Amino acid sequence: MNETNKLPPVVTIDGPSGSGKGTIAKLLADRLGFVLLDSGALYRAAALAALEKEVDLADEDSLTEVARDLDVRFLISNGCLQVLLEGREVSHEIRMERVSMAASTVAAIPGVRAALLQRQRDFRLRPGLVADGRDMGTTVFPDAPVKVYLTASAEERARRREAQLREKGVSVSLRDLLEDIRARDAQDMNRKASPLAPAKDAVELDSTGVTIEEVLNEVLALVQKRIAP
């Protein structure tokens, strides 16, 4: 048995914003008793830190420095992920649209990605890990035995985001959300560092018009098939 086989198993769930990968990752980790990595939260926290420090988003060196010095911790409370930035709870702040757009910019910088790479790999603990992101199966955990690429139409993802925001009492334009999602997709897919794309050995699932439970069951079937109990 080689060293790779001795490592805890990883299930990677990649895909564009709004595809449902975060929800599926949390449910899957809970069902399996695995550690959860929300890699997007790391980049969002880095983006929020940069915005609060008034760092120019065009200044790659300064953004890389922010990522290197990032003081961020994750806690799971009542099934919800809590993100602490410099000891302050910022779970809601990092989901704001301005932070989401800034995170897409920050995540395209090679220096930032290099600074956060090992931090993500450190989540690989027993009994296993469910990793949610955009390059989990291609760059961060290329040896993962289960790789899923979850997507949905841009229109479906915009509607989901609109519903989430309206539940929070935020008035939004569906047209603006759709434009934002398409712009973010283009930026994520065309960046030079780890562009958004399914791994060659990933199973692609489209969640458009499909229930969360149906997607979860498909992923669980993959896990049972590829990861020995």
Side-chain angles (χ1 to χ4, degrees):
M1 180 180 291
N2 61 38
E3 195 63 28
T4 297
N5 291 332
K6 295 179 182 179
L7 293 171
V10 179
V11 179
T12 64
I13 303 180
D14 291 315
S17 175
S19 61
K21 63 185 186 299
T23 299
I24 294 299
K26 288 176 187 175
L27 291 171
L28 184 65
D30 182 63
R31 188 75 63 90
L32 298 174
F34 279 15
V35 176
L36 173 66
L37 166 59
D38 179 352
S39 67
L42 271 177
Y43 289 101
R44 288 171 181 269
L48 178 60
L51 290 171
E52 292 183 339
K53 296 176 188 297
E54 298 184 346
V55 174
D56 185 346
L57 294 184
D59 186 344
E60 296 191 5
D61 290 339
S62 293
L63 289 172
T64 297
E65 186 175 344
V66 168
R68 285 199 196 103
D69 298 336
L70 193 65
D71 177 9
V72 63
R73 291 189 299 123
F74 298 99
L75 299 175
I76 301 294
S77 177
N78 297 321
C80 296
L81 178 69
Q82 290 187 336
V83 183
L84 303 180
L85 179 62
E86 297 180 353
R88 185 176 101 250
E89 214 282 330
V90 297
S91 302
H92 295 296
E93 289 180 68
I94 64 171
R95 302 296 170 182
M96 294 167 55
E97 286 304 304
R98 72 183 187 103
V99 178
S100 296
M101 293 304 295
S104 188
T105 298
V106 168
I109 298 171
V112 171
R113 302 198 73 83
L116 298 180
L117 179 59
Q118 188 56 51
R119 187 170 296 195
Q120 294 173 87
R121 288 177 173 166
D122 289 341
F123 278 79
R124 190 172 192 168
L125 301 170
R126 297 194 181 282
L129 171 68
V130 177
D132 152 27
R134 285 171 171 74
D135 66 342
M136 296 296 98
T138 54
T139 301
V140 184
F141 301 106
D143 63 326
V146 179
K147 298 178 184 179
V148 174
Y149 187 83
L150 187 61
T151 189
S153 70
E155 292 78 11
E156 173 81 0
R157 290 183 280 136
R159 285 192 292 270
R160 291 174 183 173
R161 184 58 178 158
E162 180 189 36
Q164 290 173 345
L165 292 172
R166 290 194 183 283
E167 281 184 7
K168 298 176 182 178
V170 180
S171 180
V172 291
S173 162
L174 183 59
R175 179 190 294 179
D176 289 345
L177 286 174
L178 182 56
E179 289 180 357
D180 286 347
I181 282 175
R182 286 173 171 164
R184 199 177 311 165
D185 285 351
Q187 186 171 29
D188 290 343
M189 292 175 178
N190 294 310
R191 68 191 182 205
K192 293 181 180 179
S194 298
L196 171 64
K200 292 181 179 179
D201 53 345
V203 174
E204 297 187 43
L205 299 177
D206 190 331
S207 66
T208 305
V210 180
T211 67
I212 291 172
E213 193 64 26
E214 287 173 324
V215 175
L216 178 61
N217 286 337
E218 285 197 61
V219 179
L220 280 168
L222 282 172
V223 172
Q224 293 167 358
K225 181 179 180 181
R226 299 186 181 183
I227 298 179

